Amino acid sequence: MKIKKKEPWNISENEVTPQELFENRRSFLKLGAASLIAGSSIVEALAKDEIPVANLKYIKDKNIDNLKLNTYDQITSYNNFYEFTTSKEKVKTLSDTLDTNNWKIQIDGLVEKTITLDFDDLLKKFALEERIYRFRCVEGWSMVVPWIGFTLADLIKYLKPLSSAKYIRFETLVDKKMFPDQNRGVLSSISYPYVEGLRMDEAMNDLSLIAVGLYGSSMPKQNGAPIRLVVPWKYGFKSIKSISKISFLDKEPLNTWQKANSREYGFYANVNPNVDHPRWSQAKERVLGKFFKQKTLMFNGYEEEVAHLYKGMDLTRYI
Ligand SMILES: Nc1nc2c(c(=O)[nH]1)N[C@H]1C(S)=C(S)[C@@H](COP(=O)(O)O)O[C@H]1N2
Ligand SMILES: [Mo]
């Protein structure tokens, strides 16, 4: 859709998308637009939505599907990050203890060189791009996020795994000082380290993203700073946060949620409205900030890009 550029004060509330609002934010605030469109809920939302000033350079996503972005506030205030708490509302404040300075990522397994990467050095090696993706949690809520990062395929090419590597496995850091739930021992909500993995062809798919930020700036702690995975056609739990280790394997890794309950959470975890979770339907989802539910799409709307990966597989069995 072509949008004719207008001065921000000429835009009526129902024409404004969060994306434009984000882009116009500075001029909007400078002009005191809030006083021009008094009582406008979107202006109030804007005033509250404290998007940090963009600190990353990246190529913008053209958003050809015209996805409506969730606000920065929504994306950063309702999180699953069990290392801190199981309360989605409390992650935001509790994740303060996460210290991302001198962040290291250990590389091992079936790879040319087993090395330890420094996050700041790694960041300099890749051109960043924005990827506006749908994101669907297995629990039935969803959002649209403008992630910033580089493809997992590019990272894998840089790391040079051996041809015998068929799977990739990720771990989140274990540090009992930073992550209160890891300190609870047997009372922890899940076992740590948090582990996730992909088949190599899934990992090499162009959609698989290593994200280092969102809305133009570094990854907020609650969303998995400084570096996380985003696999948009799979349920959110596959998108592991705060990665500290990457291993290349010849066997399927056992992931955290599979280990906790393999009947409910499989290795593949592809978004599929036709296969219900044993305890609830997966046919619909609630977008954060919306009242009515919407239909969940096959592979979360990325069928064209990824359906070929699962040709001949019974998706009611390989959940
Ligand atoms: N290390 C780690 N990664 C994690 C989780 C977690 O608890 N720990 N939760 C997962 C789940 S269930 C979801 S839905 C997404 C949530 O990502 P968000 O908080 O950025 O929305 O992170 C995933 N990655
Ligand atoms: Mo989730």
Side-chain angles (χ1 to χ4, degrees):
M1 193 178 70
K2 278 263 172 357
I3 300 162
K4 200 167 148 259
K5 261 242 175 305
K6 291 184 195 171
E7 296 302 327
W9 54 87
N10 278 333
I11 300 173
S12 80
E13 177 178 344
N14 50 19
E15 287 180 67
V16 180
T17 65
Q19 175 71 40
E20 293 162 36
L21 216 48
F22 168 61
E23 284 162 3
N24 289 323
R25 183 169 175 266
R26 250 168 258 133
S27 47
F28 227 85
L29 293 178
K30 226 173 16 206
L31 288 161
S35 58
L36 295 172
I37 322 170
S40 158
S41 62
I42 204 149
V43 171
E44 276 165 29
L46 175 67
K48 268 191 285 176
D49 198 19
E50 290 172 23
I51 304 172
V53 175
N55 67 340
L56 299 173
K57 267 197 184 150
Y58 58 94
I59 301 161
K60 277 180 68 82
D61 188 328
K62 293 192 185 76
N63 195 12
I64 50 168
D65 292 337
N66 241 313
L67 297 175
K68 193 175 185 301
L69 304 194
N70 277 94
T71 65
Y72 185 86
D73 194 50
Q74 287 165 340
I75 295 166
T76 59
S77 305
Y78 190 81
N79 303 96
N80 270 332
F81 204 159
Y82 277 44
E83 281 86 340
F84 295 106
T85 168
T86 53
S87 157
K88 296 186 219 309
E89 289 80 12
K90 287 186 182 155
V91 175
K92 186 181 186 167
T93 46
L94 285 176
S95 59
D96 224 35
T97 50
L98 173 55
D99 179 4
T100 59
N101 287 313
N102 299 310
W103 192 269
K104 302 280 189 276
I105 305 154
Q106 195 190 327
I107 311 295
D108 71 9
L110 304 166
V111 61
E112 264 183 28
K113 275 192 210 136
T114 56
I115 45 168
T116 298
L117 301 170
D118 178 77
F119 172 72
D120 296 327
D121 292 341
L122 188 70
L123 198 53
K124 291 178 197 135
K125 296 191 189 340
F126 299 92
L128 300 180
E129 54 179 302
E130 179 183 46
R131 292 282 183 106
I132 298 173
Y133 283 159
R134 297 178 200 88
F135 189 93
R136 168 65 154 83
C137 174
V138 72
E139 298 161 337
W141 56 269
S142 72
M143 56 184 177
V144 173
V145 186
W147 303 107
I148 311 288
F150 46 87
T151 62
L152 176 57
D154 280 347
L155 176 62
I156 291 173
K157 282 175 210 154
Y158 171 75
L159 297 175
K160 297 196 176 83
L162 306 179
S163 60
S164 50
K166 302 290 180 240
Y167 294 89
I168 185 166
R169 178 185 182 276
F170 303 87
E171 265 183 28
T172 299
L173 184 68
V174 174
D175 185 312
K176 292 175 182 167
K177 283 200 195 91
M178 289 192 212
F179 299 116
D181 195 62
Q182 292 178 340
N183 212 7
R184 297 175 66 223
V186 290
L187 296 175
S188 296
S189 43
I190 49 174
S191 71
Y192 299 109
Y194 193 99
V195 171
E196 255 309 331
L198 297 169
R199 221 169 56 190
M200 200 55 86
D201 59 344
E202 298 179 310
M204 292 299 289
N205 187 279
D206 183 60
L207 289 178
S208 297
L209 190 74
I210 291 290
V212 298
L214 56 88
Y215 265 111
S217 64
S218 302
M219 192 63 75
K221 290 181 178 182
Q222 60 268 43
N223 294 90
I227 183 167
R228 72 174 295 177
L229 181 68
V230 177
V231 194
W233 73 94
K234 292 177 179 284
Y235 291 121
F237 67 84
K238 298 291 293 181
S239 294
I240 184 172
K241 295 175 164 180
S242 306
I243 296 168
S244 67
K245 188 175 172 188
I246 300 176
S247 312
F248 292 95
L249 313 170
D250 57 2
K251 285 189 188 69
E252 191 179 287
L254 180 62
N255 303 327
T256 295
W257 285 102
Q258 237 182 315
K259 190 170 153 189
N261 191 339
S262 63
R263 214 176 66 82
E264 301 194 348
Y265 310 103
F267 174 79
Y268 285 94
N270 292 315
V271 175
N272 189 338
N274 310 313
V275 178
D276 288 338
H277 184 278
R279 290 181 282 135
W280 59 83
S281 163
Q282 291 292 28
K284 288 186 176 177
E285 66 199 48
R286 196 180 67 82
V287 182
L288 295 189
K290 285 201 183 155
F291 182 75
F292 293 105
K293 288 186 176 181
Q294 66 181 35
K295 277 189 178 160
T296 288
L297 303 171
M298 188 63 204
F299 294 114
N300 206 23
Y302 301 101
E303 193 166 11
E304 215 176 289
E305 291 91 339
V306 301
H308 68 273
L309 296 168
Y310 311 104
K311 238 183 168 168
M313 285 175 66
D314 177 358
L315 297 180
T316 61
R317 216 185 116 215
Y318 292 99
I319 58 160

